[in-house]
Amino acid sequence: MEVVTGITGLKQVYQNKRINLLKKRTSFKDLISYLHKDNDSQVCSLYGLRRTGKTTLMAQAAETLDPSTVIWIHCETGDSMQDVKNIIQANPACRFIFIDEATRLENFIDTSSILADRYCAEQNKKIVLAGTDSLGIRLSLNRGLFDRTHVIHTTYIPFKEHRYLLGTADIDQYIEYGGTLTNGNIFYNDDMSNDFDYTNSAIAINIQHSLEQLDDGGSFGPLLKFYAANELTTFINKILEQSNRTFLAATVNKMFKSHDLGKLRNNLERDKNIDIDVSGLKNKDLTEEIRKELLIKEPLTMTASKESIDAVKTYLQAMDVIYVVPESDGEEVIFTQPGLRYSQVQKLMHTLEHSPLMNQYSPSERKLFRKRLDETVKGDILEDILYYQLIRDADFQKHYEVTKYRDPMGAHEVDLVVCNTETDEAYLFEIKHTKEYCPDKQARHLLDQETVKAIEDKYHVTVAGKSVIYRGKDQVGPQGVTYQNAVTFLVNPQKSILQCRTAFQKQKNMSDPSKDRT
């Protein structure tokens, strides 16, 4: 256990964390508010995945305080709550205690209540907790820290905040690194430039470590058999790779098949401008290489059940990794962390371009495969980003509801339907990961009158605007459909909706001879 007190030691901690070079997250003000709130008997828990700035946030807050009142504790595996108690008691003048990697403490989930009950409630101390195993923090909220902690979520990093912190200018940077505090050049966290598997460390191992702590490892429930067989990581990673966004036991129990690779084959086979025999992408050895890259072991010796799938879904929701779309036609799950999803796809793209199993294809063909997969997956991710940011934007939600539309036959769909809850107007959005302007293809669902009528009837609204969100320049297309850059939209969605409405209304007035055009 590392313990730092006094101005010299603390300055070294802040210097090591490079906090003077880093901007502050929006949640910084919430942490400062906790530290200066009197008569508060609770601790403060920073809750989020690895690489979301928890340690940096603590250091930035600690630096604002009188160093003679601060203790900085960094826990290691094998440390106990008794060690923490001894340190606090040995430094009675220190009112502010920052405990990093708190989830490494033995029996943290069941012993954490002492921090609130004795030191915060009785001695008016302020204790801030953070840990890599974020699920351990989450599980403690129902156990030792039940009704004893303020929670600050760090996992979700909206585009606007990512852009502010790291200067993210292009939406692709956010797709590739969103959910982590880097843009590929600036690393907000100490360990982010290290070469390790982010998906495993942030998700699968996070869940496993946290459940090991709970009830001395006795709370794995339906996941116990996978844990005992050393197959829990494989089980979780197979779920994360499912691009059909459903959590089905049948899919997990089947032998691994890359959904992203299958999507790429379909994309290439139906492209009339590409005359390449892509049957080589069905090579079983290629699938095997991809499986190993994703650290998925086959075959599973245990059979996944609905109960085990539901358990993982519950944990992923608790960790802010997935969001279940309400009222979707059939359950639809979106990943809230773009970089998490993209980290898996990068492994596949690297295999397509560099594996010896792809030597039947020329360098330019392999590069095409990588590019096409990149575009396809980024399109799906961009749709998730826009949807999730709108439902998480508190100011936006005061005036609008957001949903999706797919007709029962699957012939038409609209990526986003935004309804104004005050005027009963609706705005329809198609989302494309492209810079090209192709109105005939991109806006076809928006211009289909049966689709528009079905949406109006289903949601009891009047369609008052239509827009394509893409990576090109802002402009107005046929029939008043606006084309808006994704960055422009994410920075100020309400302004973008107003522009969408104005353009649509102008076109409507021009096409209606009964309107006064003076």
Side-chain angles (χ1 to χ4, degrees), residues 127-183:
I127 299 178
V128 183
L129 307 172
T132 298
D133 293 336
S134 60
L135 184 59
I137 296 283
R138 179 64 180 81
L139 293 173
S140 72
L141 301 182
N142 297 325
R143 303 289 284 266
L145 292 180
F146 178 73
D147 204 27
R148 295 180 174 93
T149 184
H150 300 281
V151 180
I152 295 177
H153 290 254
T154 66
T155 294
Y156 177 56
I157 309 167
F159 175 78
K160 281 195 289 188
E161 184 175 6
H162 199 275
R163 189 183 195 213
Y164 165 72
L165 294 171
L166 297 157
T168 305
D170 185 76
I171 190 63
D172 272 6
Q173 287 182 314
Y174 185 67
I175 290 174
E176 293 170 11
Y177 300 104
T180 62
L181 282 173
T182 180
N183 59 10

Side-chain angles (χ1 to χ4, degrees), residues 105-264:
L105 295 171
E106 292 178 352
N107 299 318
F108 167 77
I109 294 172
D110 292 319
T111 62
S112 53
S113 61
I114 189 68
L115 298 175
D117 293 347
R118 174 179 293 183
Y119 302 110
C120 296
E122 295 182 4
Q123 300 179 22
N124 197 29
K125 292 186 184 294
K126 296 291 186 176
I127 299 178
V128 183
L129 307 172
T132 298
D133 293 336
S134 60
L135 184 59
I137 296 283
R138 179 64 180 81
L139 293 173
S140 72
L141 301 182
N142 297 325
R143 303 289 284 266
L145 292 180
F146 178 73
D147 204 27
R148 295 180 174 93
T149 184
H150 300 281
V151 180
I152 295 177
H153 290 254
T154 66
T155 294
Y156 177 56
I157 309 167
F159 175 78
K160 281 195 289 188
E161 184 175 6
H162 199 275
R163 189 183 195 213
Y164 165 72
L165 294 171
L166 297 157
T168 305
D170 185 76
I171 190 63
D172 272 6
Q173 287 182 314
Y174 185 67
I175 290 174
E176 293 170 11
Y177 300 104
T180 62
L181 282 173
T182 180
N183 59 10
N185 299 308
I186 300 172
F187 294 90
Y188 197 93
N189 304 70
D190 290 339
D191 65 357
M192 291 191 60
S193 57
N194 296 339
D195 183 20
F196 66 92
D197 190 280
Y198 175 55
T199 305
N200 280 337
S201 63
I203 304 299
I205 294 175
N206 190 325
I207 292 175
Q208 183 166 309
H209 282 182
S210 298
L211 293 179
E212 285 172 344
Q213 287 243 15
L214 189 61
D215 295 332
D216 294 323
S219 291
F220 277 86
L223 300 181
L224 177 60
K225 61 183 180 180
F226 296 99
Y227 173 68
N230 198 28
E231 294 181 343
L232 186 56
T233 296
T234 289
F235 176 54
I236 294 170
N237 281 359
K238 286 186 78 171
I239 289 176
L240 293 175
E241 201 274 340
Q242 292 180 32
S243 60
N244 61 357
R245 307 180 187 206
T246 58
F247 280 50
L248 299 174
T251 306
V252 176
N253 291 326
K254 290 178 182 177
M255 292 294 287
F256 172 77
K257 183 174 79 171
S258 172
H259 295 84
D260 290 325
L261 189 61
K263 184 179 290 187
L264 173 64

Side-chain angles (χ1 to χ4, degrees), residues 86-97:
N86 292 342
I87 292 166
I88 296 175
Q89 289 163 194
N91 296 273
C94 293
R95 185 186 175 213
F96 302 96
I97 299 100

Side-chain angles (χ1 to χ4, degrees), residues 432 434-436 469-473 475 483-486:
K432 306 294 181 184
T434 179
K435 292 182 178 179
E436 297 179 7
I469 308 297
Y470 73 140
R471 293 165 54 234
K473 65 179 183 179
Q475 57 187 304
Y483 280 71
Q484 302 187 67
N485 185 274

